[in-house]
Amino acid sequence: MPLDLQDTIAAIASPPDPAERGIIRVSGNDAAAIAGRLFCADENTADWQHSRLPVRVDGTLAIPSLGTPLPAALMLWPNSRSYTGQPMAEFHTIGSPPLLAATLEHILECGARSANRGEFTFRAFMAGKVDLVQAEAVLGVIDAADHEELQIALTQLGGGITSRLVAVRSEILSLLGDLEAGLDFVEEDIEFITKRQICDRLTECIVRLQKLTDDSAARLPSGYRRRIVLAGLPNAGKSTLFNRLVGAGRAIVSPTPGTTRDYLTSVVRIGGVDVDIIDTAGWETAADLIMQHAQNLRAEQLAVSDLVLWCTAADLDESEIIENVNLRSEAHATGVSLLDVTTRCDLTSVTDNAAAVFQHSCRVNAQTGDGVQPLIDELQRRLAGEKSSRSELLSSTSVRCRESLVSATNAIRTAISAAEANAGDEVIALELRDALHQLRVIMGEVYTDDILDHIFSNFCIGK
C-alpha cells in the first residue's frame, strides 16, 4: 500500500454493471476543490462549498467530453468526519459504465490519481476510523456468498468482535495499573490487589478469548488443513502411531527415548478431508540446546493445533504415570483440545496402569493396526464437530488472528499460574504485557507492511 496519504484519490465505487445509479468516490485534501470544478448545484441550494458539516447537494456534473450535463447528487464530507478521515466527496449519477468512466477520467485530469485496491479502507484504517478486524469485515461484506456470511461480516464491521477484544484489553490494562501501583509502594508493603482477585479477573479474560479462539477454529477456510499433533512422554509410541496413520515409515522408531528431535508432518485424508498429522519430540525437560530446540518446536506446533493426541504407553510404571499425568495437565492448561490414546496395547503381560488412569482413552496397537480404525473414526467425529460450529469471525480474520489469540490466552494462563505460585507482581505484569501485545496485533495496532499488503490487495478498486 502507498505510504503517502496526502494524494487525492478517486475510483468508481459501484459495481461495474449498468444500473440506475453509479458512484464515484474521491478522497484527499483536494476533494472539495475538485468537486467545485465539476459539480454545479441547483439554484435553490445553499453555498455548499463553504460548509463545515457533511452535506448532500443535488445538481449536475459538467464533463467536457460528454457535451451535456449529467444529473447528479454530491455527498461531501469537508473535513475528517468522513469514512477515510480525510475530506471526501461522492458523486451519485447515472449508472452507465461509459458515463462513469468519462467522469472519472475528468476527475483524474483535475488532479486526482486512480485509487489502488482497498485504498479507501486503508486510509480509514490509518486514520483510526476502523481497526484491522473491521477492515477485513469490509471485504467480507463485499464477498459474502449468502445471508449468514453477510450477517457475520456486518457484525464484525459493526464492532462486535472489536468490543470483545477491547473489553479484555481494558481489563488487562486495569490489572497492570494495579500491579504497577503496588510496585511503586513495594517497600511500604501496600497491596493494591490480591493474588486471588488477579486470578479471578484473568480467568474471565480467558473465557472471553477462548470463545474467540473456538470461533477461529470453526471459521477456517476450506483450503485450510486441520492439524493433529502427536504428543506425550518420550518413547510413548508416537512415531509408531504416526507411521501407521500415514501408511509409511516416515518416522524413525527406536526403543531409545528422545529419538525424535525435530517434528515430522504428513497429510492424511480423514473423512474425505486432508489433515496434517504432526509427530513431535517427547514432552520432557531439555538437557541440551538441541533438546531445547526440539521442545520449542513442539510447543509451536501445539499452539496452532486443532487437536492433540496425547499418547500414553500401556507399560508405564508408577513414577512414569505420575509424570505423565502432570505433563498432560500442563498440556491441557495451554487450552488445546486433547484426545487420550493408550499405545502399546499389545503388551498384554504388563498391567495396564495407563488405561486405569485414562479409562476413556482410545486403545491402539500401532504395530498390528488394532484399534487404529476406531481412533480414525473418533478423529473424524471430532473434526466434523469443530467444522460445524457456528462462528462470529470471518475466515480471513480467523486465519490471521488464530495464533495471536492462542498466544494471548497462553500468556494470561501463565500469569494466573504465577499469581497462584505467589510470584512477584513484576513477573505477572510481564506476561500481561505479552498478552496485550498479541491483542494489539489482532486489532492492527501492531502490524507490518506485508500484513497490510496481503489484506488490502484482496479488495476491489473503489473500496
Side-chain angles (χ1 to χ4, degrees):
M1 298 304 298
L3 296 179
D4 185 3
L5 303 178
Q6 303 308 310
D7 292 346
T8 298
I9 58 174
I12 298 173
S14 50
D17 297 328
E20 182 177 350
R21 303 289 278 179
I23 301 173
I24 298 176
R25 182 175 293 160
V26 183
S27 179
N29 293 331
D30 296 333
I34 291 175
R37 295 178 61 180
L38 272 70
F39 189 78
C40 300
D42 292 342
E43 293 182 1
N44 60 349
T45 303
D47 187 4
W48 55 270
Q49 295 190 56
H50 301 291
S51 174
R52 294 180 176 272
L53 299 174
V55 294
R56 180 189 186 279
V57 188
D58 292 319
T60 58
L61 283 170
I63 310 300
S65 62
L66 298 179
T68 183
L70 290 177
L74 169 67
M75 313 295 180
L76 179 67
W77 294 263
N79 49 40
S80 61
R81 297 182 182 180
S82 71
Y83 172 66
T84 60
Q86 300 175 319
M88 192 171 84
E90 283 187 357
F91 301 102
H92 294 230
T93 186
I94 300 170
S96 166
L99 294 181
L100 293 174
T103 303
L104 176 61
E105 183 179 355
H106 188 52
I107 291 174
L108 299 182
E109 291 173 354
C110 291
R113 69 164 170 82
S114 295
N116 291 325
R117 289 178 175 271
E119 191 168 0
F120 291 98
T121 302
F122 173 75
R123 292 190 176 199
F125 167 70
M126 296 302 293
K129 296 293 183 177
V130 297
D131 59 35
L132 209 53
V133 173
Q134 291 171 302
E136 288 171 313
V138 174
L139 183 59
V141 170
I142 298 169
D143 292 343
D146 53 39
H147 180 72
E148 182 179 353
E149 289 283 339
L150 179 61
Q151 286 302 118
I152 292 172
L154 289 174
T155 299
Q156 187 168 314
L157 178 59
I161 303 301
T162 298
S163 62
R164 293 157 66 180
L165 293 170
V166 168
V168 174
R169 183 180 64 179
S170 298
E171 183 63 30
I172 294 175
L173 285 171
S174 176
L175 273 171
L176 271 175
D178 292 337
L179 290 170
E180 291 174 355
L183 291 174
D184 291 338
F185 293 91
V186 66
E187 294 182 359
E188 284 79 7
D189 198 25
I190 299 176
E191 188 175 50
F192 282 80
I193 184 171
T194 66
K195 294 296 193 291
R196 184 69 266 160
Q197 290 172 326
I198 292 173
C199 292
D200 290 343
R201 291 166 66 176
L202 288 180
T203 298
E204 180 60 30
C205 290
I206 286 180
V207 171
R208 295 178 179 179
L209 288 180
Q210 191 60 54
K211 176 62 169 64
L212 286 172
T213 304
D214 293 343
D215 283 352
S216 72
R219 286 296 301 169
L220 292 171
S222 57
Y224 174 86
R225 288 200 298 267
R226 280 175 159 71
R227 302 167 65 86
I228 298 176
V229 173
L230 305 182
L233 289 176
N235 210 22
K238 300 184 296 297
S239 297
T240 304
L241 179 57
F242 174 84
N243 288 339
R244 173 63 65 173
L245 290 173
V246 304
R250 290 281 313 282
I252 298 175
V253 177
S254 169
T256 304
T259 301
T260 303
R261 294 298 185 95
D262 202 341
Y263 66 89
L264 294 176
T265 302
S266 188
V267 179
V268 176
R269 197 159 185 82
I270 297 178
V273 177
D274 286 339
V275 177
D276 283 336
I277 303 290
I278 302 163
D279 181 24
T280 62
W283 200 300
E284 61 181 332
T285 302
D288 53 45
L289 290 177
I290 296 178
M291 289 182 64
Q292 181 61 56
H293 180 64
Q295 296 301 310
N296 292 339
L297 291 174
R298 174 190 50 74
E300 290 175 4
Q301 293 304 311
L302 259 67
V304 294
S305 64
D306 294 284
L307 181 64
V308 173
L309 301 188
W310 186 265
C311 298
T312 302
D315 58 341
L316 297 182
D317 58 33
E318 291 187 11
S319 63
E320 289 172 328
I321 289 176
I322 295 173
E323 183 182 11
N324 186 72
V325 171
N326 291 337
L327 291 177
R328 180 189 178 280
S329 299
E330 183 181 330
H332 182 67
T334 64
V336 299
S337 179
L338 288 181
L339 174 60
D340 290 306
V341 180
T342 304
T343 61
R344 298 185 182 177
C345 290
D346 55 315
L347 302 176
T348 54
S349 61
V350 180
T351 56
D352 200 352
N353 294 323
V357 176
F358 303 120
Q359 296 180 7
H360 303 290
S361 67
C362 296
R363 298 167 59 91
V364 300
N365 177 358
Q367 292 281 3
T368 63
D370 291 344
V372 172
Q373 187 56 50
L375 171 61
I376 292 175
D377 294 341
E378 178 63 17
L379 293 177
Q380 181 177 346
R381 187 188 68 80
R382 290 282 191 103
L383 295 177
E386 287 185 5
K387 188 175 181 180
S388 63
S389 301
R390 190 184 185 282
S391 169
E392 298 176 19
L393 280 170
L394 292 170
S395 59
S396 58
T397 307
S398 298
V399 171
R400 181 180 65 84
C401 298
R402 188 175 181 224
E403 188 170 348
S404 292
L405 283 169
V406 171
S407 297
T409 303
N410 289 343
I412 295 175
R413 291 184 190 277
T414 304
I416 292 176
S417 299
E420 290 175 340
N422 205 31
D425 288 352
E426 66 279 5
V427 176
I428 302 172
L430 182 64
E431 295 298 333
L432 295 186
R433 290 192 188 95
D434 184 25
L436 279 177
H437 173 77
Q438 298 299 334
L439 294 179
R440 291 189 178 108
V441 169
I442 295 171
M443 299 175 71
E445 296 174 13
V446 178
Y447 59 84
T448 65
D449 290 343
D450 288 342
I451 290 176
L452 297 186
D453 236 10
H454 173 73
I455 292 173
F456 290 103
S457 64
N458 289 314
F459 279 62
C460 55
I461 304 287
K463 296 297 185 288

